[in-house]
Amino acid sequence: MPGTDPQRDFNVEHRYALVNGSGKDGKNLKTVSRPQVKGRPVSFPGGSPTSEEFNQRSTSTFHEHEMAPQTLNVHTNGHGLSSRSHLDRRASSPLMPAFMTSAPGKVIVFGEHAVVYGKAAMAASISLRSYLLVTTLSKSKRTVTMRFPDIQLDHTWDLDTLPWSVFSHPSKKKYYYDLVTSLDAGLVEAMQPHLANISPKASPDTRKIHQASASAFLYLLLSLGSQSFHGCIYSLRSTLPIGAGLGSSASICVCLSSALLLQIRALAGPHPDQPLEESEVQIERINRWAFVGEMCIHGNPSGVDNTVASGGRAVIFKREDYGKPPSVTLLRNFPELPLLLVNTKQARSTAVEVAKVGALKKAHPVVTEYVLNAIDKVTESAREAITKSKSGTIDEHNLNTIGELMGVNHGLLVALGVSHPKLERIRELVDIGGVGWTKLTGAGGGGCSLTVLKPDVKPKDLHDLESKLDAEGFERFETTLGGDGVGVLMPAVLKNGTDEEGGEEINLDKFLRAEGRDGVERLVGVGVQEKREGWKFWR
């Protein structure tokens, strides 16, 4: 049964009529009206919603993209039928242009480890992001491909052999507006034959990552799509380091969720004058299905990573009862702040670090509880400083307050035993340079540190710090804290200062050939200091 929630108030209405036949070839299809969202015409990328009717295309919507001009030698036989030589024939063009989605990573700004014990934590987006390019294939190509060259994943499935019937069975079927809080064991089992042959020659650890990624993709595709879905290539690139506690998997799941929901025309906007409440509905819809993808990868995720990746800015996250959903409060006035993110490259395990605190609490329950409560107070104090600021800005006094609280929070985490000599070395270098305020982020024991830069930092001092970090083998990222969440580039065309008329088309070849994080950022990046023209966000 379909679920009920306020999202259904914003359903996209599709009204099409077939004239003199089934309309399967598109020639007998008559458009009665364009899709409407609250009286506003919209058009979204193709594919198929959960019903066969939505798969029919409005010829007026797609004619401008369907075919490039062609010159063909056409001969007519005696019966009036056209025939062409083999050499004259060309492959069908895609039904729609390529489009992109993008979502940010996240950092824990305040509240690490205390959040495990029912205290509040503050998490914020960063401008390091994942990017998904969706390329629709011609009707004759009945395959779906997932490419993620950053982790050497490349796999293709035959659309018609996937377990659509299992996912569409009335007892199993979920709709785009449903709230899914657990995976269906029967659906997971139905996917296993289609995951078994992924990366068979890869190492066990790599294969585990590949299968988890593919599992999230297939579960979302089969839940939201239908067998009449068009063949597509889903290509992923990321500027986020994998496994560094920066929410890379959630960022990817948000990209997949938003792309698939756009393909089934289940999202409205984004556009500049979109009402706030309508935008919130779209973000929540994306977030819900991204959480499903996170469950495929992590089993029992907290939900904070996908929430930040969907909505951007920052959230206060609290989970007092693990048998109930967490409390998540959006901080819409969280300012964008310049951030230096440093990866220690020190392997760490979240489970090990959480166990350390658990052992300390068992040995010294009263003292440890005082430390955890102090961290909770730090988070609340930081929240008060941010809410005093105007939306998107922060004055010098409140920024200094945030910086001082970061130092206090880090000291309390050191007391819990979850820092690492490399993290302390980064703090030492930042303090010597006097460029900002630094703390560990995430589970600790390695991973990353974050430094909020002071507004009056001198370029020479920052350059000297970066040189020292490079010399000692750390990986650094100049990014921003508290930026936009999920975004859309539709069609995949950017104003990149090239000579291409109308902008630079981001095709599959360019996207896959972009070298490393810098190459991806230069080609399609949302931008750190400036907003790239073309990208649009739900806000």
Side-chain angles (χ1 to χ4, degrees):
M1 293 289 292
T4 57
D5 66 52
Q7 298 185 54
R8 299 178 69 178
D9 294 340
F10 300 105
N11 285 356
V12 180
E13 299 178 15
H14 297 262
R15 297 188 287 273
Y16 298 102
L18 301 180
V19 180
N20 298 326
S22 66
K24 290 184 178 179
D25 61 1
K27 295 178 181 178
N28 294 326
L29 185 64
K30 178 180 178 182
T31 304
V32 176
S33 65
R34 292 184 64 190
Q36 300 282 323
V37 178
K38 292 198 172 212
R40 183 182 183 87
V42 297
S43 60
F44 296 116
S48 168
T50 53
S51 71
E52 182 70 20
E53 177 187 9
F54 283 17
N55 189 45
Q56 309 300 331
R57 291 290 186 271
S58 164
T59 55
S60 63
T61 303
F62 294 106
H63 269 175
E64 60 179 308
H65 304 298
E66 276 186 344
M67 290 288 230
Q70 301 183 50
T71 302
L72 297 174
N73 296 321
V74 180
H75 304 279
T76 306
N77 62 22
H79 302 285
L81 299 176
S82 297
S83 63
R84 289 171 291 179
S85 69
H86 176 72
L87 294 177
D88 288 333
R89 294 181 181 270
R90 297 188 182 185
S92 300
S93 297
L95 291 177
M96 54 160 293
F99 73 97
M100 296 188 70
T101 59
S102 176
K106 72 93 184 64
V107 291
I108 303 295
V109 188
F110 295 101
E112 293 94 338
H113 288 283
V115 72
V116 177
Y117 297 93
K119 318 298 183 184
M122 182 186 296
S125 63
I126 55 176
S127 58
L128 300 177
R129 305 175 69 93
S130 296
Y131 298 89
L132 174 68
L133 176 67
V134 181
T135 307
T136 304
L137 302 176
S138 60
K139 288 183 179 181
S140 60
K141 294 182 179 179
R142 300 290 299 150
T143 60
V144 61
T145 297
M146 184 180 187
R147 289 181 179 171
F148 194 173
D150 300 328
I151 60 170
Q152 293 78 51
L153 172 59
D154 189 338
H155 192 81
T156 298
W157 293 269
D158 183 336
L159 269 172
D160 295 321
T161 63
L162 293 174
W164 297 105
S165 60
V166 180
F167 275 75
S168 61
H169 191 275
S171 65
K172 303 286 187 183
K173 179 62 185 173
K174 298 295 182 183
Y175 295 87
Y176 65 86
Y177 46 76
D178 283 334
L179 174 63
V180 180
T181 58
S182 62
L183 300 179
D184 187 298
L187 300 182
V188 172
E189 183 180 359
M191 292 195 307
Q192 296 313 304
H194 305 277
L195 299 172
N197 62 342
I198 292 176
S199 307
K201 297 181 180 179
S203 68
D205 288 344
T206 299
R207 194 160 187 251
K208 183 178 180 181
I209 294 171
H210 287 187
Q211 289 185 326
S213 302
S215 174
F217 170 67
L218 279 187
Y219 201 101
L220 294 182
L221 173 70
L222 291 164
S223 296
L224 293 170
S226 71
Q227 192 166 354
S228 58
F229 220 69
H230 287 289
C232 286
I233 299 173
Y234 297 85
S235 303
L236 275 160
R237 300 297 304 271
S238 184
T239 62
L240 285 159
I242 306 297
L246 301 179
S248 58
S249 66
S251 173
I252 290 167
C253 286
V254 169
C255 286
L256 291 170
S257 169
S258 55
L260 289 165
L261 287 166
L262 282 166
Q263 285 185 287
I264 66 171
R265 302 187 180 100
L267 294 176
H271 52 80
D273 57 344
Q274 188 167 26
L276 176 61
E277 62 273 17
E278 183 179 288
S279 180
E280 288 177 342
V281 167
Q282 315 312 309
I283 292 171
E284 175 60 18
R285 187 170 294 167
I286 293 167
N287 186 29
R288 287 184 175 189
W289 282 102
F291 181 71
V292 174
E294 280 280 86
M295 285 193 288
C296 292
I297 295 172
H298 297 295
N300 185 31
S302 68
V304 65
D305 288 12
N306 50 276
T307 299
V308 174
S310 298
R313 302 294 178 236
V315 301
I316 294 291
F317 180 89
K318 193 171 186 178
R319 194 169 197 169
E320 297 179 275
D321 184 349
Y322 275 77
K324 298 179 181 178
S327 166
V328 179
T329 304
L330 297 177
L331 299 178
R332 291 196 172 277
N333 58 342
F334 192 94
E336 285 194 56
L337 300 171
L339 183 72
L340 180 63
L341 191 68
V342 182
N343 185 4
T344 64
K345 298 184 180 178
Q346 175 65 41
R348 92 285 186 273
S349 165
T350 298
V352 169
E353 301 306 314
V354 170
K356 281 185 188 178
V357 179
L360 187 69
K361 195 172 189 298
K362 185 176 181 180
H364 307 283
V366 176
V367 173
T368 304
E369 187 63 25
Y370 272 116
V371 175
L372 296 172
N373 285 335
I375 292 175
D376 192 41
K377 295 298 183 183
V378 167
T379 303
E380 182 56 35
S381 297
R383 178 183 183 177
E384 290 175 1
I386 289 168
T387 53
K388 290 177 183 176
S389 302
K390 295 180 180 179
S391 180
T393 63
I394 190 168
D395 59 33
E396 185 176 351
H397 172 74
N398 284 321
L399 180 59
N400 283 327
T401 299
I402 293 296
E404 291 167 357
L405 290 171
M406 287 174 63
V408 174
N409 196 164
H410 181 84
L412 293 168
L413 292 168
V414 171
L416 292 176
V418 296
S419 188
H420 186 275
K422 289 187 177 181
L423 289 165
E424 297 308 310
R425 177 56 177 162
I426 294 169
R427 271 180 52 83
E428 180 183 21
L429 291 172
V430 173
D431 287 346
I432 291 171
V435 302
W437 302 275
T438 300
K439 67 179 287 291
L440 68 82
T441 181
C448 292
S449 71
L450 60 89
T451 299
V452 172
L453 298 175
K454 294 180 178 179
D456 58 352
V457 61
K458 297 178 180 178
K460 181 182 182 302
D461 292 339
L462 183 58
H463 180 267
D464 289 345
L465 171 63
E466 292 174 341
S467 297
K468 292 176 181 177
L469 292 169
D470 292 345
E472 297 195 22
F474 296 115
E475 185 180 31
R476 57 181 173 80
F477 305 89
E478 290 185 44
T479 177
T480 55
L481 187 68
D484 285 311
V486 60
V488 181
L489 179 65
M490 180 167 33
V493 177
L494 281 170
K495 304 290 186 180
N496 278 345
T498 68
D499 295 331
E500 293 186 40
E501 185 177 353
E504 181 179 6
E505 180 183 354
I506 311 302
N507 59 35
L508 185 58
D509 184 62
K510 286 181 183 177
F511 189 58
L512 295 178
R513 288 180 179 274
E515 293 187 13
R517 296 188 184 100
D518 290 343
V520 172
E521 193 69 43
R522 282 194 299 271
L523 181 66
V524 297
V526 169
V528 176
Q529 301 302 328
E530 75 288 339
K531 298 303 178 187
R532 203 73 162 271
E533 184 179 351
W535 284 102
K536 293 181 174 60
F537 304 89
W538 285 277
R539 293 169 173 157

